[in-house]
Amino acid sequence: MTLPNPETYPNPEQRPHPTMQPMPHHPGLPGQHPMPPAPRPSVELQRDAAAAMAARRELGPDFDDQIAAGLAERMEQLAYHRGVELQEQHRASRVEEAAERSTRTQRFALGIVSLGAGIPITAISAGMVDPPLIGVLVSWGGIVAVNVVHALGGRRRR
């Protein structure tokens, strides 16, 4: 991703910082992911603010603009990095949701196939064994075992 041409920003104060890049937009439904509560200022930010105040006391009011600009730049960098972290967390949660959805779809499909295959298997096994109930129990026991093994295998992977 490239930054806009500096000539589009005649005022140097309006130009984006070279390390800052626009963040991609993540569409979503309103209210789907509520905003987390605002975190307390980090130790790093508090240390930077204290250093800026100390520099202000030491240098005097003549350097207020430079001190404020330096502190604002540092805050922008921290905000950018925090935004990147939040985007990564959001991406990771979306990947986990997609994996869970895929697992549920596979389980549903296996259940449907088991029921579909169970009908002819039941008919065949009931007709081949002298007491038909034993053939039905053995065939459905095998179908249930396949589904249980599939479900337990999915839990172990997570």
Side-chain angles (χ1 to χ4, degrees):
M1 206 177 283
T2 60
L3 291 174
N5 185 349
E7 295 169 359
T8 59
Y9 296 98
N11 185 352
E13 293 176 11
Q14 292 178 338
R15 291 184 190 147
H17 190 271
T19 61
M20 302 294 285
Q21 294 184 359
M23 290 192 246
H25 175 68
H26 290 287
L29 298 175
Q32 187 177 20
H33 296 284
M35 291 292 294
R40 293 186 49 174
S42 68
V43 175
E44 190 175 3
L45 185 58
Q46 290 174 349
R47 186 183 65 233
D48 289 345
M53 293 302 294
R56 165 47 170 104
R57 276 185 250 121
E58 193 173 304
L59 297 173
D62 296 337
F63 292 93
D64 281 350
D65 291 340
Q66 290 86 353
I67 293 170
L71 185 59
E73 181 178 324
R74 180 69 179 135
M75 289 176 66
E76 286 175 356
Q77 289 175 350
L78 290 172
Y80 172 77
H81 291 294
R82 178 65 180 146
V84 169
E85 287 175 9
L86 289 173
Q87 282 183 340
E88 182 60 29
Q89 288 174 358
H90 180 70
R91 188 196 64 75
S93 71
R94 302 250 334 215
V95 167
E96 289 175 15
E97 289 172 7
E100 178 63 30
R101 213 174 8 255
S102 173
T103 301
R104 279 184 285 178
T105 302
Q106 288 176 355
R107 286 184 186 158
F108 180 73
L110 181 62
I112 295 295
V113 169
S114 296
L115 288 174
I119 294 170
I121 290 173
T122 302
I124 293 169
S125 63
M128 294 184 75
V129 180
D130 187 19
L133 183 60
I134 292 176
V136 171
L137 291 177
V138 169
S139 62
W140 280 100
I143 292 170
V144 168
V146 167
N147 282 279
V148 167
V149 167
H150 184 309
L152 292 177
R155 288 185 182 169
R156 286 191 189 131
R157 277 183 252 139
R158 281 181 269 150

